[in-house]
Amino acid sequence: MKQVILPYSETYHEVRSWNTAVDSLYNMLRYTDRKLSFAMVAGLTGQAFRLQIIPETVHIAGPTAYSFGDVMVRGLSSIGIKAEFIDALTPSIGPNANLIEPSLLQKDAMGKREIHHALPDALAFIHCALDRGYPVLAWDIFFPEFGLLYGYDDNQKLLYAYECGRLDTLVYENLGRSVLEEIYVLALDEVFEITLQDQLRQALLMIVDHYEGREFNTPSESVKGLKAYEVWCDAFRGGNIEPNGNAYNIAVVMDGRKQASEFLLEMTRSWPQLEETDLRVRSLLGEAAELYEEITRHFNELHQQFPFPIGGEPNEPANARRSIVLLETIKTKETEAVQILREILERLAS
């Protein structure tokens, strides 16, 4: 019987982003020698550049409608870290937790659900990671977002958990008995050396793949990358958008593009100036950063019109028309930015 509680947990509540995956990964990296800025974590993992939209309703699940394992492992490799995970997710999109009966989100409701079949493997996995000094990223601990498991107590059979600013405990058997009844846990494994150039090259390969739709195991309900803007506009035309979900998608993507701009600027400042190619890469990084800053301003307009959680009135015709104009403008700017990212990739490969 053991108890392990990792340090730094008292600072977890300093939430820095709408993207809880980045928030969790950033905190995990504090336990390694890769203590990067928040923007660098968001950029190198590709999270700052992601976009998935659920057609017709713009469901709240859009920002997390991707293969967690594939995307996060590939993203962490751009930082120079190998990761392992257990994936016991259901194949379909679940309900919007903001719109269900509040009592279903309480701990008491967990006890009425079946114990998850992956629980024994997940608990062994969590114990192993914590014993090595690493917290574990987990999905849907108390509700459908990402958080961290930073301790365990075998005597009381408790996990120490953090999710969206909330520090709490969870009895072992309730892992996987939250709203979606899913288990996904990821732990850091081996740290390896990687140059700044390779970090950027690997990250951009992943980012461009996402923009162009070349990504494996994406849930069939979502449309990703640049094509997602067309689906989003079609949803405004259709008039069946769910306000809370739409507002959440806007907030997450807006925050991501802000982090994208900051990431590119930080790369610009860090990039060497040894050769002519280096100077061109720095220039291109700066151009892309400006585009993402402009994109962020457009998303902020949408965010002001459709604030989370209420979400405004996206199905009102005048609001829909204005939103379509903004989204089409954003898509044009982001298409320009992606072309710059492609050029940077070509120069890094030469």
Side-chain angles (χ1 to χ4, degrees), residues 209-224:
D209 279 350
H210 171 72
Y211 272 127
E212 297 182 349
R214 294 190 302 271
E215 200 167 77
F216 298 113
N217 302 321
T218 301
S220 59
E221 297 96 330
S222 70
V223 177
K224 59 185 174 290

Side-chain angles (χ1 to χ4, degrees), residues 313-334:
E313 298 181 10
N315 298 310
E316 197 278 321
N319 291 341
R321 287 193 296 271
R322 182 169 179 269
S323 300
I324 291 169
V325 171
L326 281 169
L327 287 172
E328 288 177 340
T329 300
I330 290 169
K331 183 185 178 183
T332 298
K333 295 296 180 183
E334 199 145 5

Side-chain angles (χ1 to χ4, degrees), residues 272-284:
Q273 303 181 60
L274 302 176
E275 300 177 5
E276 185 176 341
T277 299
D278 296 327
L279 296 176
R280 180 56 181 159
V281 168
R282 281 170 58 89
S283 175
L284 291 168

Side-chain angles (χ1 to χ4, degrees), residues 1-6 123-136 149-154 172 187-188:
M1 292 294 193
K2 290 178 59 179
Q3 181 191 66
V4 172
I5 302 176
L6 299 184
L123 287 175
F125 181 88
I126 292 162
H127 276 62
C128 182
L130 290 169
D131 286 346
R132 292 187 295 114
Y134 293 134
V136 175
L149 301 171
Y150 63 90
Y152 68 82
D153 186 328
D154 284 334
Y172 285 176
L188 306 181

